[in-house]
Every structure is written in C-alpha cells, then in structure tokens.
Amino acid sequence: MGELNMQEMPLPALFEQASKIHASASESSADKDTVRKGCEILRQCEEMVGKLGLFSLNETKEDISTANLKYILVPYYLAELTEKVAEDDRIKVLKAAQAKLKEFISFCETLELVPEEEIETSTQGGANSSVDRRAKKIARFKRQRAAESKLLEIKERKERRGRSTKAAALSSPVETEEDDVLDDDGEEEREAWLTTISLGLCKAFDLLEMLKKEEEILSAVKEKQLQDGEKEFSQSILDERTKKVETWHRDAAARAHYTKPAAPITCATFAQDVIEGRAKVSQAHEHKHQPLIFGPASLVGRNPTTEREKIAAQVFQPHYRMPTMSIEEAGLTEMNMMNEWQEKNVKLMEEANSSWYKDAPKSRPGEDDEEDNDAAQDKARAWDDWKDDNPRGAGNKKLTPCG
C-alpha cells in the first residue's frame, strides 16, 4: 500500500492492518519488507493519536472509552516490530525498541494499568538477589498465563453466543432482545482489550530485560574490538555519547505524544470525521453553524429575490426558535469572554496592589479650597479699598445741576 493511501486511511483501519502485521511477525512468518511496512503504519497511527488528543495525563483506564483502549498498544506493537528490523547497527535498533517499550510502560503506569509489584520493583531499581528476580519472573509468568486463558475464554464465549444466536434466528423468526446482546458485546470487548494490555505489559517487561542484556553484550563486544586502536576507541566513545544524547532527545520528543498531548480538536463533529476517515487532520475546519433550512424544496439552497419567494420560503417553519450558533461557537465565545474577564481582573488587582506613596504626589482635598478662599478674601479686600477711595456717585457730581 502506498504512502498516499496510508495517509488517507482512517485510524481504525490503520490499527487493524498493523495488528495483522504484528500477529504475523510474532509467528515468524513476516519478511523484512512487511516488518518495515508495519513500523511505518504504526508510526502513522502514533501521529494520528497524538493529533487527535485521544489520551490525557489526568485520565485513568475508567475514563478512556472502549473504542480507544486498543490504541494504547501502539507503542508496544511498534517496539516489537522495531526489534525485528534487520540493520547493520543492531545497537541502534535495540535502543529504539527499548525507548518504545519504556514509553508504553510509562503511559500504562499513568493510566493505573501496571501491577503494584512491578511498580515497586522499578522504584527500587530492580530486584537485587537472584531469589527476588526468580520470584518476580514467576509472578509475571502467572499473570501472563492468566491473561492468555482469559482471552481464550472470552473468545470461546463469544463464539458460543454467536452460534446460539444464529441457531435461534434460524429456528424462530421472532425478534430477540438486541440491547442485551450489544451490552454484553461492549463489556466483553472492554474486558478483552484490558486483558490484552495486561498481557502486553508482561511481555514488554520481559522483552525490555532481554534487550538490555543484548545491548550490554554487543556494547562489550564492540568495546573489545575497538581496543586495538586507541584513537579509534576514543573517537568511538565520543560518537557513542553524542548518539546517546541525540537518542534521548529524540525519545523525549516521541514521548511528548503521550506525556504532553497536542491541542485537541475542539470541533467534535470534525474529530469524529477524522477518526472514521471522512476527513484529514491537516484539513482546515471552521466552527460554523449550518442552520436547518425549512420551506419548499424549490427554494432551499438559494436566496429568494421576489416578495412572493420570500413569503413562500417562510412556510413550514418550526414552532420553536432555531439556534443561532453551534455548541463549539458558544464554547469559544464563552472562552473569549472569560479571557477578557480575567485580563480585566488582573488589571484591577494591579491597580489595587499599587501603593499610594509610589504614585505621583497629589494635593490634598482641603488645600485647593483654602487657596480659593484666600484668593476670594484678597479680591474682597481690594474691592473694599477701592470703594473707600471712590465713594458712591463721586464721578457723577459734574453731571448734576447743583454740581
């Protein structure tokens, strides 16, 4: 399948194809090209899971829907297929597989799927004595056997129910209760995926220990081979340290899909279209509400021009008010209002926390009144002095007949 077709496939179809390749590779019946193809498909699944934001750090296994539980196994499948890739630099392949296994175990621990004894062993730095290691391996083997038997029991139970349902449908055409069957199927599917994740955890811990031992052996052999030339040995050590740092940063970027998920798609309908393959993540989507159009079919979809068409377009209208915006638009509007309200509160708090002595000096309320009173008194005194020097009617004496 080409790269273009793989990018156009929906997430469930990609995961189903990757699961088939993983199952065939586990039985040692897959060639090199098939293994590389499976790795590419799983990387595409990992990218889509990160863009869709299916998982969050504050979730547990109860918060994840049954349809999304299977995508937890993506890094585990990718680690197992990466370990089977044939390359000249085997140490590089081992490190990449270990990084994916650690990513899978860490994410399962966040979702509270890892058993307590495994968490205690990892926090203590591994089992110290051979007795502890043997007890840990025995407990892990028992959990693996229990998970395998439980998966087999679920499979047989589903097959028996399918046969009985088919026989009942053939014997009597009476409709059976389908709701109970669907509920049982949903519970069984959730139980099957949780058991599969538990089985994958047991295998992941064993595979991680095996890959660590293989890496130590290959590193010792490589170090022994490079001891013949001191210059080559020192340069190889520097190169090895550089690669180790680059690998750490690359793995940290890969873990960011689960530890720090990308911003989820806010439009629920568009996210559902992406999961089911009707749209792509890269496509631009707008939160625009398309109102329902009522009226005659001849007027739906075009703008009425004449008065007759306008009146005809208003028939068959609902008796209730239609929404003017979608749920996503209402959420974005409320979010913008909340951001503005928070910014306003921040400014008010800054003004309230500012001290009066830090501001510019201002005149007291009584000082301006006192200055105005003094000016009024000076003006009144000057007017009284002028009236004393100029009595009333003194300038009009020459105009009087007796003056």
Side-chain angles (χ1 to χ4, degrees), residues 12 55 167 169 193 285 303 327 395:
F55 305 115
W193 282 119
H285 60 283
N303 188 19
I327 298 176

Side-chain angles (χ1 to χ4, degrees), residues 150-205:
K150 191 172 184 180
L151 286 175
L152 183 61
E153 179 185 354
I154 293 174
K155 183 179 179 181
E156 292 177 352
R157 191 192 313 160
K158 188 179 296 185
E159 290 177 353
R160 287 196 304 268
R161 188 169 64 251
R163 289 194 299 267
S164 62
T165 304
K166 186 176 181 180
L170 292 175
S171 61
S172 59
V174 181
E175 296 182 358
T176 57
E177 296 291 336
E178 295 183 356
D179 294 337
D180 298 338
V181 176
L182 292 175
D183 293 341
D184 293 340
D185 290 343
E187 292 295 332
E188 276 190 356
E189 184 181 1
R190 186 173 185 85
E191 186 180 5
W193 282 119
L194 290 175
T195 309
T196 306
I197 294 172
S198 178
L199 179 61
L201 279 171
C202 296
K203 294 182 178 180
F205 281 113

Side-chain angles (χ1 to χ4, degrees), residues 32-96:
K32 298 178 182 179
D33 297 334
T34 306
V35 172
R36 292 185 181 275
K37 177 185 173 183
C39 292
E40 293 178 2
I41 295 175
L42 286 170
R43 292 191 188 96
Q44 183 71 18
C45 290
E46 196 174 31
E47 183 179 357
M48 292 186 69
V49 168
K51 287 182 178 180
L52 292 172
L54 298 182
F55 305 115
S56 177
L57 285 176
N58 56 356
E59 290 181 342
T60 59
K61 59 184 178 182
E62 287 80 9
D63 300 327
I64 299 177
S65 62
T66 304
N68 295 336
L69 277 176
K70 54 187 175 183
Y71 302 125
I72 300 175
L73 295 166
V74 170
Y76 168 66
Y77 287 170
L78 183 56
E80 284 202 333
L81 289 182
T82 303
E83 187 268 333
K84 298 180 184 298
V85 173
E87 287 188 2
D88 296 334
D89 192 358
R90 177 63 179 171
I91 297 180
K92 180 180 178 181
V93 175
L94 294 176
K95 289 182 177 179

Side-chain angles (χ1 to χ4, degrees), residues 354-375:
S354 61
S355 302
W356 60 269
Y357 53 82
K358 293 183 180 179
D359 300 335
K362 298 180 180 179
S363 60
R364 295 182 180 179
E367 292 180 355
D368 296 336
D369 298 338
E370 292 177 0
E371 292 177 358
D372 295 340
N373 293 334
D374 294 340

Side-chain angles (χ1 to χ4, degrees), residues 1-9 14 37 40-41:
M1 182 173 290
E3 184 179 355
L4 181 62
N5 294 333
M6 185 176 66
Q7 291 180 355
E8 291 179 353
M9 290 177 62
L14 281 174
K37 177 185 173 183
E40 293 178 2
I41 295 175

Side-chain angles (χ1 to χ4, degrees), residues 292-296 300 312-318 320 322:
L292 296 176
I293 301 176
F294 296 88
V300 172
Q314 294 177 358
V315 301
F316 302 124
Q317 296 298 314
Y320 51 87
M322 297 300 297

